[in-house]
Amino acid sequence: MDYLPFWAGGIALTTVVLLHYGLLHSQIGVSGRITALVNRVRAKAHHEPELSDEDMLAALRAMTASEFGDDAVAETPTPAASVIPATLPTSSHLLFFGGLVLGGFIATRAVSAFQWTPTLSGALFTRFADGGPLAYLMLFGGGLLVGVGTRMSGGCTSGHGLGGVPRLERGSLLATAAFFGAGIAVSVLMEVLS
Amino acid sequence: MSGTANKKCPHVNDCPMFGMFTLSGTLRIWQDNYCHDEYARCERYVRAQRGEIVPKTLMPNGKSLTVVTKPAP
């Protein structure tokens, strides 16, 4: 499989991170969007009512006064970020994931002819699992570990690697070092064992 | 980065209440008190860490927000 040059990927990822922050005033995070979608489904399952931002704001002002005193609710300049809705609509998350798939397709087409290969054909992977049921089991197990690890560390490669590392957040530096380090170690180990 | 001064709750990107607090300057006091250095005492954070459903109306102080919805015109 052919890939775009590393620097092109770097520029593309940087652009996405900057655009996301510039337009939405929030750090990019794929797992965060998945969490938002799952929470929305869970909230619906528990019959949580839909509340408008306007109704919420009125109630919040009252709660703020009771918690911090009337002086606290004296009007304070509203930050520029307030033009962004408090919660992004479900459609924005779905659009984001659609964009991920489309972007991957376009990037593939840019460097090679697209070919549908519904098999698990990675050379190293095939040597271990040979495309049989074990391969699917390994994929499932790996995906499960990724999900658990993501929740445990409060973010994934995009949130920590793209969002947290440039901001020198210690947790993100540690998480990124851990998952990239583990990835390198496992790859080396598989090469040695194969 | 300077020590822990820039600590921020890891849920700020998907916490609807954090988003609400950005809608008005008045509400920033909640962010200052619960979303940065002191986020571990936020009830929303505590419940999220336990894997529980966090109601949209749950406040960081553990109280539930009473929202009066306006009737549709």
Side-chain angles (χ1 to χ4, degrees):
Chain A
M1 185 174 175
D2 298 318
Y3 295 96
L4 289 169
F6 70 90
W7 52 265
I11 290 172
L13 287 171
T14 304
T15 306
V16 168
V17 171
L18 292 176
L19 278 177
H20 195 278
Y21 192 80
L23 296 174
L24 299 176
H25 298 278
S26 72
Q27 189 178 307
I28 196 168
V30 175
S31 61
R33 284 179 176 274
I34 293 174
T35 304
L37 281 177
V38 171
N39 285 343
R40 211 154 289 185
V41 171
R42 292 172 79 193
K44 276 200 191 305
H46 283 73
H47 308 294
E48 196 163 282
E50 290 287 337
L51 302 169
S52 71
D53 284 357
E54 193 184 339
D55 291 336
M56 285 284 285
L57 273 176
L60 276 169
R61 287 202 175 94
M63 174 72 86
T64 305
S66 86
E67 182 75 11
F68 299 104
D70 289 335
D71 289 346
V73 291
E75 200 46 58
T76 309
T78 301
S82 65
V83 293
I84 307 298
T87 48
L88 292 173
T90 301
S91 57
S92 85
H93 297 306
L94 297 177
L95 195 64
F96 180 86
F97 291 119
L100 278 184
V101 176
L102 183 64
F105 177 77
I106 291 171
T108 303
R109 287 288 287 131
V111 291
S112 61
F114 180 76
Q115 191 180 0
W116 178 253
T117 49
T119 55
L120 307 168
S121 55
L124 195 59
F125 188 75
T126 307
R127 260 186 278 168
F128 276 86
D130 202 22
L134 180 61
Y136 289 95
L137 199 62
M138 284 173 68
L139 273 183
F140 182 76
L144 203 64
L145 289 174
V146 169
V148 171
T150 297
R151 283 300 286 169
M152 281 177 68
S153 68
C156 58
T157 46
S158 60
H160 283 308
L162 295 177
V165 169
R167 294 163 60 183
L168 301 180
E169 289 187 9
R170 278 184 294 187
S172 293
L173 288 168
L174 188 62
T176 306
F179 56 66
F180 273 118
I184 292 168
V186 171
S187 297
V188 170
L189 186 67
M190 287 175 77
E191 283 288 354
V192 170
L193 293 177
S194 65
Chain B
M1 184 177 174
S2 56
T4 58
N6 293 328
K7 267 173 67 180
K8 194 187 270 189
C9 174
H11 297 291
V12 294
N13 281 321
D14 56 333
C15 175
M17 197 57 84
F18 183 86
M20 291 302 305
F21 295 154
T22 64
L23 292 182
S24 164
T26 300
L27 303 177
R28 290 292 292 272
I29 194 169
W30 290 97
Q31 289 185 350
D32 295 340
N33 280 275
Y34 289 98
C35 303
H36 298 290
D37 289 348
E38 307 290 332
Y39 68 79
R41 71 193 182 106
C42 170
E43 182 63 18
R44 297 183 64 85
Y45 169 81
V46 171
R47 291 200 195 182
Q49 290 305 101
R50 290 201 298 245
E52 296 176 13
I53 293 174
V54 183
K56 188 176 179 181
T57 52
L58 178 70
M59 295 298 290
N61 59 4
K63 294 177 183 171
S64 187
L65 195 64
T66 306
V67 182
V68 180
T69 53
K70 289 178 186 162

